[in-house]
Amino acid sequence: DQQVKQNSPSLSVQEGRISILNCDYTNSMFDYFLWYKKYPAEGPTFLISISSIKDKNEDGRFTVFLNKSAKHLSLHIVPSQPGDSAVYFCAAGGTYKYIFGTGTRLKVLA
Amino acid sequence: GAGVSQSPSNKVTEKGKDVELRCDPISGHTALYWYRQSLGQGLEFLIYFQGNSAPDKSGLPSDRFSAERTGGSVSTLTIQRTQQEDSAVYLCASSTGTFGGSPLHFGNGTRLTVT
């Protein structure tokens, strides 16, 4: 039973445009949500997080939106750059344990 | 500063042999995690340490898997009598663990191949 789902295994976006990565979860008890980026042969790198008391968090080109009623979060990257090409994982959790989605491979085309 | 360090980076072993994977977390991080990523899959939680104790071992797939942490620092994940389905990238992460939402900082993983 997948508690965190990323239904799009891949996404291609033109350089300079917006990338939108989506994530759905089933457990309403999750309090914290994180996004990670992963390059091949490297560990995941933390990008941005949001707590359940907020609906938006922004850091530079990255914005995460949380819709608790829909149990849905999304990561927006604006403008997208070729260096953003990677696999993106969302993760949801409570005080210590995070459940990860299966990832979305983003390709930013120059 | 130094990040999370894992060794070896790659390990090829024969089915039935035991393997040990090592993780050196970020200094001062009290929380330590092991995850694994099988081909085409997401990150699967294995075990969580707070200090030297493991309050959550719920993700360990079988009793062939064990982990320990000593001195509140280095952790070792041991897989006994390895099977082909154990082939995966094993990722270690650490965090300050002082409050909910603390991001996990991952190492580059150990790629385990069981032949």
Side-chain angles (χ1 to χ4, degrees), chain A residues 1 23 63 90:
Chain A
D1 178 29
C23 180
T63 303
C90 65

Side-chain angles (χ1 to χ4, degrees), chain B residues 43-109:
Chain B
L43 278 67
E44 176 189 5
F45 170 82
L46 297 178
I47 188 169
Y48 156 72
F49 286 92
Q50 181 59 246
N52 290 336
S53 64
D56 190 343
K57 306 179 184 180
S58 62
L60 294 177
S62 74
D63 59 8
R64 297 186 295 105
F65 287 72
S66 63
E68 65 174 12
R69 188 179 186 195
T70 54
S73 181
V74 171
S75 176
T76 303
L77 177 69
T78 301
I79 309 173
Q80 295 178 310
R81 305 181 302 281
T82 52
Q83 304 294 312
Q84 288 186 330
E85 62 262 28
D86 300 334
S87 296
V89 177
Y90 289 81
L91 291 158
C92 176
S94 68
S95 80
T96 58
T98 54
F99 60 92
S102 301
L104 276 58
H105 301 270
F106 284 88
N108 287 333

Side-chain angles (χ1 to χ4, degrees), chain A residues 6-105:
Chain A
Q6 293 177 259
N7 292 318
S8 298
S10 64
L11 174 69
S12 290
V13 172
Q14 206 67 34
E15 181 180 6
R17 305 294 289 267
I18 183 171
S19 294
I20 300 176
L21 298 119
N22 294 304
C23 180
D24 297 293
Y25 60 95
T26 57
N27 190 339
S28 58
M29 299 299 289
F30 288 142
D31 288 328
Y32 298 96
F33 305 87
L34 287 65
W35 282 95
Y36 283 81
K37 177 170 74 173
K38 187 180 183 303
Y39 293 121
E42 293 184 10
T45 302
F46 171 71
L47 278 176
I48 192 169
S49 65
I50 190 168
S51 76
S52 60
I53 63 172
K54 294 187 174 182
D55 55 16
K56 177 182 174 181
N57 189 26
E58 196 170 351
D59 184 1
R61 295 186 299 115
F62 301 92
T63 303
V64 56
F65 294 92
L66 176 63
N67 183 333
K68 283 179 291 183
S69 60
K71 296 191 183 67
H72 177 84
L73 65 155
S74 60
L75 175 68
H76 293 208
I77 307 173
V78 183
S80 300
Q81 300 172 354
D84 295 330
S85 297
V87 177
Y88 288 78
F89 291 95
C90 65
T95 53
Y96 70 89
K97 179 176 175 178
Y98 291 97
I99 307 297
F100 283 77
T102 51
T104 296
R105 183 177 301 278

